[in-house]
């Protein structure tokens, strides 16, 4: 496979799957935005756990009264095209959860279903002092059989996470350690003769991930300079002796210059080594100083994003500068009209690629993305009635726009193909949410993509249309129902051996989860996934499970 890469790649904002536990509908009016406002509070929170009543949040301390105007004009963009993992989101009644006694912070959950599915999950948190909290989270999910040839498409995933937070009036420290192990099979092989038996061990893949994260943040309300530092270290290794070490540190800061005028700073240093047949030392350094002026009716942010990337094996050592411009106008209260222009180099790692497509072939080419320019405009808003919305149009120019397609030598594995000549991507997106007194919540997001690739025949396995629709119903103090609908269309794939191009059928995936509170401590749940029973293919030759379910009990203590 050709090892030389010209500048760079695509970045495409993929449709985010809404999760009730910790995403768009958890708070009314939370819409994806180009500007973020961080409120300094002395509070200790962990990400919501997947259960009937999400684990109780530790009692919050008194909130500070200072808002820090960090403005990340170009939020982190995932390059992953939507990958469907049918898991119905667990519902949660916020009011009842807040009324639950603090003694029910912890839980154990056990469940089982068809395809030999097993679910085991546990969460424990403890408050050592008023300022110090520890937590532990264990999750195990597996299926003894799958959609093709029984055990040849089985899978198993185990994760363990330990964490803690220590908050004082002047600073906050948080950290976590995690381990994740995944075991699965390359079951996308071509049909075999009855006399030919597949050796399961030869198609097995196992990945082991270990990570450490540490963060430090200034929380002093009277401090002139606000800042936060985060560092993370990950190691990843698979069954075929591929591995990666990845260490990244980011720094953000804000300094007021005058009333409504702030100097903002963001920097990052990322050092990684990927080992396969060859060893790749890959580094990226970013410095992004910006200035922001905010008034009652508009805000303007301007600056520069300077990025340096190196790769010893691909012979890359370059530094690029990109503009950072954003305008946000408030013509009437609750309505924002925004527009901007930016660019960036986005890191691609072995970990991020496997997170998007786990069936990758060994020794695939790994290169970063250059978003040469991105012009965007849109409108967003919310009202007091619980309705929020956002619409956005983006036209971006990319180098090394990448796609996945079945490998020429082994169609059960995927190669990563790059468009080194340059690609233009038009994205039209819209999303809306609505809450009715926490009894009914709904959110919907649609995306349309148009790809103009110059160095590729097609944007293989990239969707042209996606839709995500989430609903949550609180029917009584004991009964909760959530539903999710995913639609993905426009996927194309090619068998490079036969030359046949296939338009994959439109994916329609409907999931539902029902929770019923039996007693103060016990609840029962049933998850119904892929209710329409279609063994759709997100990636060619890999059908997904048809109708599947998991039922079980959850114990809170």
């Amino acid at each position: 496979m050709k090892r030389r890469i010209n500048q760079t790649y695509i970045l495409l904002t993929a449709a985010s799957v809404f999760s009730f536990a910790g995403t768009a509908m958890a708070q009314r009016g939370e819409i994806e935005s180009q500007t973020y406002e961080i409120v300094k509070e002395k509070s200790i929170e962990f990400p919501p756990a997947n259960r009937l009543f999400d684990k109780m949040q530790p009692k919050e301390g008194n909130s500070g009264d200072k808002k820090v105007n960090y403005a990340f004009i170009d939020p982190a963009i995932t390059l992953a095209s939507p990958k469907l993992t049918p898991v119905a989101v667990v519902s949660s009644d916020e009011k009842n959860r807040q009324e639950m006694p603090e003694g029910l912070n912890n839980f154990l959950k056990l469940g089982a279903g068809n395809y030999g599915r097993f679910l085991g999950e546990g969460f424990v948190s403890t408050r050592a002092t008023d300022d110090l909290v520890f937590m532990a989270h264990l999750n195990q999910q597996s299926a003894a059989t799958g959609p093709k040839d029984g055990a040849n498409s089985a899978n198993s995933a185990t994760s363990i996470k330990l964490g803690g937070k220590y908050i004082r009036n002047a600073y906050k420290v948080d950290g976590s350690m995690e381990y994740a192990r995944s075991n699965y099979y390359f079951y996308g092989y071509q049909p075999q003769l009855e006399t030919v038996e597949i050796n399961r061990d030869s198609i097995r893949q196992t990945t082991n991930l270990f990570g450490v994260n540490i963060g430090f943040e200034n929380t002093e309300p009277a401090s002139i300079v606000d800042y936060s530092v985060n560092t993370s270290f990950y190691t990843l290794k698979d069954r075929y002796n591929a591995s990666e070490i990845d260490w990244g540190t980011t720094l953000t800061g804000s300094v007021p210059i005058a009333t409504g005028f702030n100097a903002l700073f963001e920097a990052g240093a990322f050092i990684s080594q990927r080992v396969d047949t060859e060893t790749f030392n890959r580094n990226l350094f970013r410095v992004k100083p910006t200035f922001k002026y905010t008034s009652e009716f508009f805000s303007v942010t301007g600056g520069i994003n300077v990025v340096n990337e190196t790769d010893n094996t691909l012979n890359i050592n370059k530094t690029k500068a990109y503009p950072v411009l954003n305008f946000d106008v408030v013509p009437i209260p609750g309505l924002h009209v925004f527009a901007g222009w930016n660019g960036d180099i986005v890191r691609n790692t072995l970990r991020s690629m496997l997170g998007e497509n786990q069936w990758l072939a060994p020794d695939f080419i790994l290169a970063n993305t250059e978003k040469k320019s991105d012009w965007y405009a849109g409108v967003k808003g919310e009202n007091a009635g619980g309705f929020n919305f956002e619409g956005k149009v983006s036209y971006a120019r990319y180098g090394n726009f990448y796609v996945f397609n079945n490998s020429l030598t082994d169609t059960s594995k995927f190669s990563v193909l790059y468009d080194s000549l340059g690609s233009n991507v038009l994205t039209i997106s819209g999303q809306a949410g609505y809450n009715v007194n926490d009894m009914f919540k709904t959110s919907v997001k649609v995306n349309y993509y148009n790809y103009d690739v110059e160095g590729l025949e097609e944007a293989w396995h990239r969707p042209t249309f996606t839709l995500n629709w989430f609903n949550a119903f609180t029917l009584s103090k004991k009964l909760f129902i959530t539903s999710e609908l995913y639609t993905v269309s426009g996927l194309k794939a090619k068998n490079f051996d036969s030359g046949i191009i296939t338009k994959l059928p439109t994916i329609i995936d409907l999931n539902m989860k029902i929770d019923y509170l039996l007693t103060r401590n016990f609840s029962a749940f049933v998850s119904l996934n892929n209710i329409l029973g279609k063994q759709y293919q997100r990636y060619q030759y890999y059908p997904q499970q048809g109708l599947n379910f998991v039922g079980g009990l959850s114990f809170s203590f």
Side-chain angles (χ1 to χ4, degrees):
M1 183 176 289
K2 191 174 180 181
R3 289 282 176 187
R4 190 165 176 217
I5 304 290
N6 296 329
Q7 306 175 346
T8 246
Y9 153 88
I10 166 184
L11 214 183
L12 157 61
T13 303
S16 301
V17 177
F18 281 85
S19 168
F20 176 78
T23 53
M25 299 311 299
Q27 297 178 0
R28 182 177 61 81
E30 182 178 338
I31 304 178
E32 292 181 358
S33 171
Q34 297 296 324
T35 302
Y36 295 87
E37 184 176 63
I38 299 176
V39 181
K40 297 287 189 181
E41 294 183 338
K42 184 179 177 182
S43 61
I44 301 177
E45 295 182 348
F46 290 108
N50 186 22
R51 59 181 301 230
L52 172 59
F53 289 110
D54 296 335
K55 61 187 182 306
M56 294 286 294
Q57 302 296 340
K59 186 177 180 180
E60 296 186 355
N62 295 328
S63 298
D65 58 358
K66 181 170 184 179
K67 292 185 178 181
V68 182
N69 292 319
Y70 291 153
F72 305 120
I73 301 307
D74 187 16
I77 302 175
T78 174
L79 301 178
S81 52
K83 181 181 73 172
L84 301 182
T85 351
V87 176
V89 177
V90 180
S91 61
S92 170
D93 180 77
E94 289 293 329
K95 181 179 179 180
N96 288 341
R97 184 180 66 178
Q98 293 171 3
E99 294 173 353
M100 293 283 282
E102 191 165 346
L104 299 181
N105 290 354
N106 312 314
F107 74 89
L108 294 174
K109 178 187 292 185
L110 289 175
N114 61 340
Y115 291 97
R117 297 183 68 183
F118 171 79
L119 167 65
E121 186 177 8
F123 176 84
V124 177
S125 67
T126 180
R127 181 183 293 277
T129 68
D130 288 342
D131 301 313
L132 180 62
V133 171
F134 296 103
M135 59 80 72
H137 186 204
L138 170 65
N139 187 278
Q140 164 67 34
Q141 297 189 51
S142 62
T145 62
K148 181 177 178 180
D149 294 345
N152 283 5
S153 53
N155 65 80
S156 175
T158 303
S159 64
I160 303 172
K161 186 172 183 178
L162 307 175
K165 290 195 176 187
Y166 182 66
I167 295 184
R168 302 292 293 175
N169 289 330
Y171 63 89
K172 177 181 72 173
V173 180
D174 61 83
S176 65
M177 297 176 56
E178 59 183 304
Y179 170 74
R181 183 180 187 273
S182 295
N183 186 80
Y184 54 94
Y185 297 86
F186 293 98
Y187 64 88
Y189 49 80
Q190 299 300 309
Q192 304 293 309
L193 299 174
E194 293 184 2
T195 56
V196 178
E197 183 177 353
I198 297 294
N199 182 354
R200 290 186 69 223
D201 194 60
S202 68
I203 61 173
R204 178 183 170 189
Q205 171 66 296
T206 303
T207 62
N208 290 277
L209 173 71
F210 174 77
V212 177
N213 297 273
I214 300 175
F216 181 87
E217 182 177 351
N218 168 40
T219 59
E220 174 58 56
S223 175
I224 297 178
V225 179
D226 287 289
Y227 60 88
S228 66
V229 181
N230 291 276
T231 187
S232 60
F233 177 82
Y234 288 94
T235 64
L236 174 66
K237 188 171 184 179
D238 75 2
R239 193 167 182 264
Y240 299 95
N241 297 321
S243 64
E244 181 178 67
I245 297 175
D246 188 27
W247 176 33
T249 301
T250 59
L251 168 67
T252 58
S254 172
V255 180
I257 298 176
T259 302
F261 189 51
N262 292 272
L264 310 174
F265 181 76
E266 181 181 354
F270 305 90
I271 299 172
S272 65
Q273 182 183 78
R274 179 241 183 148
V275 178
D276 217 319
T277 300
E278 300 182 59
T279 298
F280 296 73
N281 293 310
R282 310 174 63 244
N283 305 323
L284 186 143
F285 305 94
R286 175 184 291 110
V287 177
K288 187 163 69 172
T290 58
F291 295 90
K292 180 177 181 179
Y293 175 75
T294 303
S295 72
E296 183 179 356
F297 303 104
F298 71 94
S299 66
V300 179
T301 305
I304 189 171
N305 183 20
V306 181
V307 187
N308 169 261
E309 68 164 332
T310 64
D311 190 314
N312 68 323
T313 305
L314 298 180
N315 195 26
I316 295 174
N317 187 350
K318 62 182 180 181
T319 302
K320 292 289 188 74
Y322 306 93
V324 178
L325 293 173
N326 186 75
F327 303 90
D328 191 311
V329 180
V330 185
I332 59 175
L335 179 66
H336 291 253
V337 179
F338 61 89
W341 174 36
N342 58 48
D344 200 359
I345 293 179
V346 180
R347 300 176 67 237
N348 295 319
T349 63
L350 177 62
R351 178 165 58 102
S352 68
M353 288 291 193
L354 285 174
E356 183 176 350
N357 185 338
Q358 62 184 5
W359 295 290
L360 293 178
D363 288 310
F364 68 88
I365 295 178
L366 183 60
N368 289 332
T369 295
E370 182 182 9
K371 182 173 64 170
K372 298 182 177 181
S373 66
D374 182 10
W375 296 88
Y376 62 87
V379 59
K380 61 184 177 181
E382 65 174 321
N383 61 29
F387 176 74
N388 56 67
F389 68 93
E390 178 176 328
K392 182 179 177 181
V393 177
S394 166
Y395 185 77
R397 174 73 176 176
Y398 298 108
N400 279 355
F401 172 79
Y402 75 81
V403 299
F404 298 110
N405 198 70
N406 306 82
S407 172
L408 173 63
T409 57
D410 183 354
T411 57
S412 69
K413 297 180 175 66
F414 285 80
S415 299
V416 183
L417 309 177
Y418 295 86
D419 182 0
S420 60
L421 299 181
S423 306
N424 299 314
V425 179
L426 171 67
T427 304
I428 302 174
S429 60
Q431 58 182 352
Y434 184 60
N435 293 3
V436 182
N437 297 326
D438 291 328
M439 300 297 292
F440 170 65
K441 304 172 187 288
T442 184
S443 64
V444 62
K445 181 171 183 177
V446 295
N447 294 277
Y448 167 78
Y449 306 102
N450 180 267
Y451 311 100
D452 179 13
V453 291
E454 299 178 9
L456 296 172
E457 187 178 357
E458 291 280 356
W460 307 118
H461 287 99
R462 291 278 183 184
T464 58
F465 177 80
T466 65
L467 181 148
N468 311 134
W469 185 20
F470 171 81
N471 295 281
F473 305 88
T474 302
L475 300 184
S476 70
K477 292 184 177 181
K478 292 187 175 184
L479 182 61
F480 314 96
I481 299 177
T482 58
S483 67
E484 299 168 299
L485 174 67
Y486 303 101
T487 298
V488 178
S489 63
L491 301 173
K492 292 183 181 180
K494 183 174 183 178
N495 185 316
F496 287 123
D497 184 32
S498 65
I500 297 176
I501 296 176
T502 302
K503 293 183 179 180
L504 301 180
T506 296
I507 297 171
I508 302 178
D509 190 335
L510 176 62
N511 308 313
M512 180 176 293
K513 190 169 192 304
I514 303 173
D515 293 288
Y516 187 77
L517 189 62
L518 300 172
T519 68
R520 178 176 180 272
N521 300 94
F522 283 96
S523 61
F525 66 90
V526 175
S527 294
L528 301 174
N529 303 313
N530 198 1
I531 294 175
L532 301 181
K534 303 294 184 181
Q535 289 191 328
Y536 58 80
Q537 297 181 44
R538 177 60 187 87
Y539 292 104
Q540 185 171 229
Y541 305 135
Y542 279 89
Q544 301 300 299
Q545 291 180 352
L547 174 62
N548 61 91
F549 63 87
V550 173
L553 295 174
S554 179
F555 174 68
S556 301
F557 59 97

